[in-house]
């Protein structure tokens, strides 16, 4: 847990969020500034700064985050149309919150490569 991390605060219930799924390991909530009709963020409760910190100690947790992404995509009816799961790492990728999160984006046609 990082005291001043906004996503840790959401995970602790100290900042409101529209939570769509949570359990003892992860929290998923709607992005406050959605980039698509469906835009959900999935975070581990454990503070991990970015996916650059994935190692043998937390790889199973990352797999679980992606399992929850698949579950949420079903919940949000995105499977037939398709959707994107993405994580930004560091400045060049535009990571603005230094707590690892996976974006689940769907409900519109996506462009590739991303801007
Ligand atoms: P990134 O730029 O990849 O670090 O993604 C951070 C995301 O967090 C952005 O899409 C923001 O809109 C979103 N965000 C920031 N603060 C909040 C918040 N309090 N509740 C929900 N989403 C947030």
């Amino acid at each position: 847990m990082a005291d001043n991390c906004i996503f840790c605060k959401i995970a602790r219930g100290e900042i409101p969020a529209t939570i769509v799924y949570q359990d003892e390991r992860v929290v998923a909530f709607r992005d406050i500034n959605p980039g698509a009709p469906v835009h959900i963020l999935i975070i581990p409760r454990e503070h991990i700064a970015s996916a650059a910190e994935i190692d043998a100690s937390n790889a199973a947790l990352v797999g679980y985050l992606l399992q929850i992404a698949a579950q949420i995509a079903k919940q949000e009816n995105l499977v037939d149309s398709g959707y994107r799961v993405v994580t930004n790492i560091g400045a060049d990728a535009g990571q603005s919150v230094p707590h690892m999160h996976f974006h689940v984006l769907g409900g519109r046609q996506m462009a590739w490569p991303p801007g």
Side-chain angles (χ1 to χ4, degrees):
M1 287 285 176
D3 283 351
N4 289 321
C5 169
I6 189 166
F7 284 0
C8 284
K9 287 182 178 174
I10 287 174
R12 289 196 295 260
E14 294 169 10
I15 288 180
T18 304
I19 291 173
V20 297
Y21 177 83
Q22 62 180 323
D23 62 26
E24 70 285 352
R25 284 182 283 177
V26 309
V27 182
F29 51 94
R30 297 199 188 276
D31 197 292
I32 205 168
N33 184 24
V38 176
H39 189 172
I40 290 166
L41 304 174
I42 307 172
I43 66 169
R45 289 187 184 277
E46 176 187 344
H47 184 83
I48 298 169
S50 81
E53 295 192 355
I54 297 170
D55 61 20
S57 75
N58 56 29
L61 175 60
V62 175
Y64 185 62
L65 288 165
L66 292 173
Q67 178 187 330
I68 297 302
Q71 179 182 307
I72 285 171
K74 285 192 196 95
Q75 214 171 281
E76 298 286 327
N77 293 312
L78 296 176
V79 176
D80 288 346
S81 53
Y83 60 100
R84 184 167 291 167
V85 178
V86 65
T87 188
N88 294 317
I89 301 164
D92 273 5
Q95 185 181 4
S96 59
V97 179
H99 180 128
M100 181 174 69
H101 49 282
F102 288 93
H103 298 253
V104 176
L105 295 145
R108 68 166 170 81
Q109 182 69 52
M110 302 282 157
W112 190 264

